[in-house]
Structure formats: C-alpha cells, structure tokens
Amino acid sequence: MTEADEAIERAYREEWTALLATLAGQLGGDVGLAEEAAADAFAAAVAEWPTRGVPSRPGAWLTTVARRRAIDRLRREATRSAALDRLETLMRDDDTTEPEPLDRSGVHDDRLRLLFTCCHPALALEARVALTLRVVGGLEVAEVSRALLTTETTMYQRLVRAKKKIKTAKIPYRVPDADELPARLHGVLHVIHLVYTEGHVASSGDDLVRVDLCREAIRLCRLVVELMPDDAEALGLLALLLLTDARRPARTDANGLPVSLEDQDRGRWDQALIAEGTKVVERALGSRSPGPFQVQAAVAALHAEAPHWDATDWPQIAALYGELSRMAPSPVVTINHAAALAMADGPQVGLAVLHTIDVDDRLDRYQPFHATRAELLARAGDTEGAAAAYDRAIELTDNAAERAALEARSRRALRS
Amino acid sequence: MKYMLLLRFENNTGPAEGTPEFDAEMAQWGEVMGELGKSGAMIAAHGLDTEATATTLRVRNDEALVSDGPFAETKESFFSYIIIDVPDLDTALEWAKKMPNVTYGSVEIRPLSAHEQDA
C-alpha cells in the first residue's frame, strides 16, 4: 500500500463523518448534497494525492475541495431560491487561498445532527438503516447493498429517495428538543441495534461483510456514547453490543456450524471485550435510569461472567427478563423469559409462561418459539410433544447449518 | 415551508355525536384551531362534508363520466385539510400531533410542491 493510499484510507476512517456533518451544516441540512460533495472530494484525493503528494492537513484539504464541489453542483442547479441561498452562504465561506485548518468547534453538534436526521422517523426504517451506514458510517453504496442483501441499484434508489425526502419534506438538520430527545434517541439506538443484528444473524450472505456490519454498529454506538456520554440507554446498547461481540469467536465451530451458548467453548470468548462491556454496563446502571438495552446488557454480562453453562445465574437472568417484559413486552422477550425460568425453576414453570403467549400466524412461523418449546417439552419428559415441536422448528429453518444443529439437538433430546 | 395537513378518520370511530366525549373533542378542535390562528402559521383550513355527498367526474374519450362517491373507496375518509407555513417537518408534526382525530384517525403531512413553496 502506498503512502497516498494509506493517507486516503486513514482520512476516510477519521474524517468522513466530520466532513459530511460540517458540510451538511454549511448547506442548510442538505444531507444528499453534502454526501455527493464529500464523495467528490475523496474521488479528487484518489486522483491527486498519489501524484502530487499527500497534503499536510488532509482533513482541511478535503473540506475545501468538497465545499468547492458543492458550489459547482449548486451552480448547475441554481434555479431555485433555496439553492441560491445556500450558494451564497458557501461562497462567503470559501476563500480561494490556502485551505484553512478544519474548524472542529461545531463538529460535535454537527455529527449528532447528522445522526438524528438520518434516523428521523419520517423516513422508512430500511432507509434509516441504509442512510446511517452510508452517510454516518461512510460505507460505499456497494458495501451497504452487500451488507443489507439488496442489489446496488435498489440500494442506490433507496438512498436517493431518502435524501430527496429529507430535502423536499424539510426534515430538519438538528438535534431534537429536550422533550423529544429520549424517544428520538431511542430511535437512533434502535437503528444501530438493527445494524448489529443484521450482521450478527448470518441468515445468508457473505460472512466477512457481516462482521464488518457488527464492527460498524459498535463504531456508531461509540460515536453516540461519545456525543451523549450521560445517556444510560446509549451506554446500555454499547455494553450489549460489546458483550455479544465477545462471544463471536465461539459462535461457530470449525465447519462453520452455529454453536449454541450452552455448548460454546468459553475459552474462545474475547476477554478484553467482556471487560470493557462489563465496565460500560456498570456505568450505565449506576445512573439509575433503567431501560431495555441496559437490561439486555445485564443479561449478557451475567452470561459472560459464568465460567460454564451450569454456573449461570439463572434466577437473576429470569428476573431481568421479567423486568424486560414489563418495560418492552414482546413474544420474543417472553420466550427468553420462559427459557430462563425453566433453567432456574424447572421446565414446567417455563412451559407455563410459554403458554401465556397468544400464538398468532407470525409467531407460529418464528423458529425460536418452536425450538424453545421443544427443548422444554423434552426436559419435562413429553417426548411426543417435543418431537412435533422440533419438527416444526426444523421445517422453519432455511439455514442448512442451523438445521443440522437443530436435528442434532432433537436426536439428543429424544434419546435421553 | 408550506405543508398541507390531510385529516382522516375511519367511519364509526371516535366519539359519537351527542355524547359528552364529542363535545369535549369539539372544544379541543376550537382550542387547537385558535392556537394555530394566533401563531400566524395558518394559511387556510376547511372542513369537508361527508364522502356520501361527494361526486366524482372523469372525462374519457371526450365523454364526461359523473359518478357518485369519492375518487377512491378507502377505509379512512378525508374530512378536513389545513395549510400551514412552518420552519420544518418537525414543527408540522407538532401541529399534527395536536389534532384530536390523530388518536383514532390519522394526519398526513404533505409539503406543497416546490413551485408553491416560493409562491
């Protein structure tokens, strides 16, 4: 890798979000134009740095070039007064002498504004995820489309539509007011959590890309924590992601088959991530404003500190899931609650909780529901019921590796 | 930034006429429209009669086709519109949130076209 390549890559990692956030601020919140101009600037760097050398202040160079490219683009479309207004603002900021050092004073707020704009509830959820990856995370459109399992054309159109909506419906480029902030921040965290889950559940697609997605989610979450250090739920999500990621090396065996938490080799868990995650969850819980992400992180921390499956503090985990079903009730939480209760107090107690769920069509197609039920029925000695539930779970699994694992569990349960 | 709020509700939802709840909602409408008027954000607002009173016209091959009813049968009927001029979508959403029908019907927030924005 040449020096220029390295410098471009480093600038991309370190400067993308700040550059885009600053530009969007100067362009009156036009995230789409900011993104195009930032991409133009990096394209210019790729063309010029290898031959002319790397500028002494890459960030400042990129900002100056991006601003000029934005001016060019606005000149081409300067038919509407809004474009003219933005053009004037930009021209005022642009001196054609040496590039100024990048003004970082407002960048903290700008990055937050960028994040809230990309995660605005007036955009479709899938658009929020894609925009956050592209605009805040700086992933290339091709990478985003690979990560989210769509074609590049579809992803490109989705992004264009979202950016157009930001502009035409005038989604404001700002951090929401105090009274809206908790709900809107939860929306941002939800998007980041989705990005992680997308990478974590290797339902299909290229595994390497999925790992990138997990890393990107953690990076985005660190950004939110850096920007809002006192928010307990942001800390809770960061802890949850770190503690979940710590188990990744043990989640698949040598043949790439998934390994359940019970059977994982805990020696392969990443202790550095566990240590950090545990510290973060303690910091979150210390602020005494509990929330669903903190509860899930606390569960993950309890799993992380158990030296083996039988040493897991099941009563405590069951209590936490009980708390979670009060905070954020959902069938998925109830299933986890039932499984933890079964470990703490016996399979009958777990089954009783499972039976409280109203099974609709969607839940009937939810594989973990049947897998958990099969497990508990087998442990309660109902071999026939367990066999039927295992069959249903296997039937609902489209991932070959997962199916093999379920079939093995089924055989093991029905032999004992 | 000019937006139209399109107010809809599903028939037979919300408080029935003649109940205290209905009167309470009417008072709420009066309050929110008063507040909107005083804020200077309101450009226009009109309530519509029921969809049963609507007539739809289409001209195809030079022939006028007049039919009874609204242009599309939907579950939600469109009963009122309000045009406001506010700084951005979040402000428009805040006004929309104050409309009493939002708890049992819906409010669509649609920017006027670019051409209308500058008018």
Side-chain angles (χ1 to χ4, degrees):
Chain A
M1 212 184 213
T2 67
E3 187 205 346
D5 288 341
E6 261 177 46
I8 289 167
E9 225 169 81
R10 194 169 43 246
Y12 203 71
R13 262 200 321 274
E14 293 169 2
E15 308 283 353
W16 172 269
T17 313
L19 172 65
L20 220 146
T22 307
L23 282 171
Q26 292 174 339
L27 294 166
D30 188 340
V31 173
L33 179 60
E35 183 223 3
E36 285 161 4
D40 284 348
F42 274 96
V46 170
E48 290 180 33
W49 293 4
T51 49
R52 295 193 192 175
V54 178
S56 58
R57 288 195 304 267
W61 188 94
L62 287 163
T63 309
T64 306
V65 172
R67 201 164 45 213
R68 285 183 197 154
R69 295 298 162 96
I71 291 174
D72 292 342
R73 282 175 181 273
L74 280 171
R75 278 205 184 107
R76 285 199 296 269
E77 66 151 306
T79 47
R80 285 196 28 215
S81 59
L84 286 168
D85 287 347
R86 282 177 310 185
L87 188 54
E88 260 170 42
T89 318
L90 275 185
M91 302 286 270
R92 261 204 313 277
D93 291 341
D94 189 51
D95 58 61
T96 41
T97 54
E98 261 302 276
E100 286 293 298
L102 190 52
D103 175 16
R104 293 273 172 163
S105 56
V107 86
H108 167 289
D109 298 346
D110 272 335
R111 282 190 311 184
L112 258 189
R113 277 202 279 270
L114 195 60
L115 199 59
F116 278 106
T117 304
C118 290
C119 294
H120 197 284
L123 298 165
L125 188 57
E126 55 182 21
R128 282 178 246 166
V129 172
L131 261 188
T132 302
L133 288 172
R134 167 71 190 132
V135 170
V136 188
L139 271 68
E140 297 281 2
V141 178
E143 291 173 313
V144 179
S145 65
R146 262 206 314 277
L148 300 179
L149 312 174
T150 60
T151 63
E152 210 169 322
T153 318
T154 306
M155 184 49 66
Y156 183 76
Q157 286 165 340
R158 188 182 298 172
L159 286 164
V160 167
R161 265 202 307 274
K163 287 181 295 194
K164 199 169 162 208
K165 172 140 191 198
I166 291 176
K167 194 166 154 179
T168 49
K170 204 160 180 195
I171 291 178
Y173 187 61
R174 68 179 176 95
V175 175
D177 297 335
D179 58 338
E180 278 177 85
L181 195 60
R184 290 284 310 279
L185 180 66
H186 188 81
V188 171
L189 297 176
H190 178 56
V191 166
I192 295 173
H193 189 229
L194 263 181
V195 169
Y196 186 88
T197 319
E198 198 70 51
H200 186 69
V201 184
S203 48
S204 57
D206 178 345
D207 280 351
L208 276 177
V209 175
R210 326 300 285 172
V211 173
D212 277 352
L213 219 44
C214 292
R215 286 211 188 101
E216 188 53 38
I218 290 174
R219 209 180 68 88
L220 287 167
C221 199
R222 285 189 194 282
L223 176 70
V224 177
V225 166
E226 179 196 330
L227 298 170
M228 308 188 88
D230 299 326
D231 189 87
E233 273 294 88
L235 288 166
L237 177 61
L238 180 59
L240 173 65
L241 300 187
L242 293 169
L243 292 163
T244 309
D245 219 49
R247 301 203 293 254
R248 196 205 324 222
R251 282 183 74 232
T252 45
D253 66 11
N255 307 318
L257 292 178
V259 183
S260 72
L261 185 56
E262 184 177 352
D263 301 326
Q264 281 175 22
D265 170 3
R266 298 184 176 217
R268 294 177 66 199
W269 287 359
D270 186 326
Q271 291 304 325
L273 283 176
I274 288 177
E276 190 193 355
T278 308
K279 215 163 59 211
V280 175
V281 78
E282 280 165 5
R283 200 174 119 203
L285 295 171
S287 70
R288 299 252 172 266
S289 46
F293 285 129
Q294 291 168 80
V295 175
Q296 291 171 77
V299 170
L302 285 170
H303 282 304
E305 69 190 27
H308 51 88
W309 175 254
D310 293 333
T312 310
D313 186 349
W314 291 112
Q316 185 63 19
I317 289 182
L320 285 166
Y321 274 123
E323 193 57 43
L324 193 58
S325 30
R326 272 187 291 282
M327 278 180 186
S330 81
V332 177
V333 173
T334 308
I335 292 166
N336 284 317
H337 189 199
L341 277 169
M343 291 305 294
D345 306 322
Q348 298 294 3
V349 181
L351 284 166
V353 170
L354 222 42
H355 287 146
T356 62
I357 306 180
D358 175 23
V359 183
D360 59 4
D361 287 357
R362 229 178 105 217
L363 195 63
D364 192 44
R365 286 194 306 271
Y366 185 63
Q367 182 259 32
F369 170 70
H370 297 283
T372 305
R373 219 176 132 250
E375 202 77 7
L376 300 192
L377 286 167
R379 291 215 318 259
D382 179 354
T383 318
E384 211 168 303
Y390 268 121
D391 287 346
R392 179 78 181 126
I394 290 162
E395 181 189 338
L396 290 166
T397 308
D398 53 7
N399 178 314
E402 216 168 316
R403 196 170 350 170
L406 265 176
E407 281 164 351
R409 288 181 90 82
S410 162
R411 280 194 301 275
R412 191 166 47 179
L414 304 181
R415 263 205 315 272
S416 57
Chain B
M1 187 75 182
K2 303 189 187 88
Y3 298 87
M4 183 188 270
L5 306 183
L6 295 96
L7 285 67
R8 299 187 177 96
F9 79 108
E10 211 173 304
N11 295 325
N12 307 321
T13 58
E17 210 160 339
T19 59
E21 290 81 12
F22 184 84
D23 296 339
E25 186 182 306
M26 283 301 133
Q28 253 183 307
W29 281 112
E31 223 165 282
V32 66
M33 295 316 282
E35 193 189 341
L36 197 51
K38 274 204 288 290
S39 76
M42 189 157 72
I43 295 175
H46 291 104
L48 310 174
D49 206 324
T50 64
E51 298 194 322
T53 65
T55 308
T56 300
L57 169 72
R58 293 176 177 81
V59 176
R60 300 289 183 272
N61 308 325
D62 290 337
E63 196 181 344
L65 301 159
V66 178
S67 57
D68 177 31
F71 77 102
E73 289 293 343
T74 52
K75 274 181 73 164
E76 288 201 321
S77 50
F78 171 38
F79 71 93
S80 183
Y81 75 87
I82 303 170
I83 298 175
I84 56 177
D85 191 353
V86 290
D88 55 43
L89 183 64
D90 281 358
T91 322
L93 277 164
E94 271 169 46
W95 283 114
K97 223 178 275 175
K98 293 183 178 179
M99 301 297 153
N101 69 304
V102 84
T103 55
Y104 56 88
S106 68
V107 179
E108 179 183 335
I109 301 109
R110 184 91 71 94
L112 299 195
S113 69
H115 163 76
E116 298 282 354
Q117 293 295 349
D118 300 332

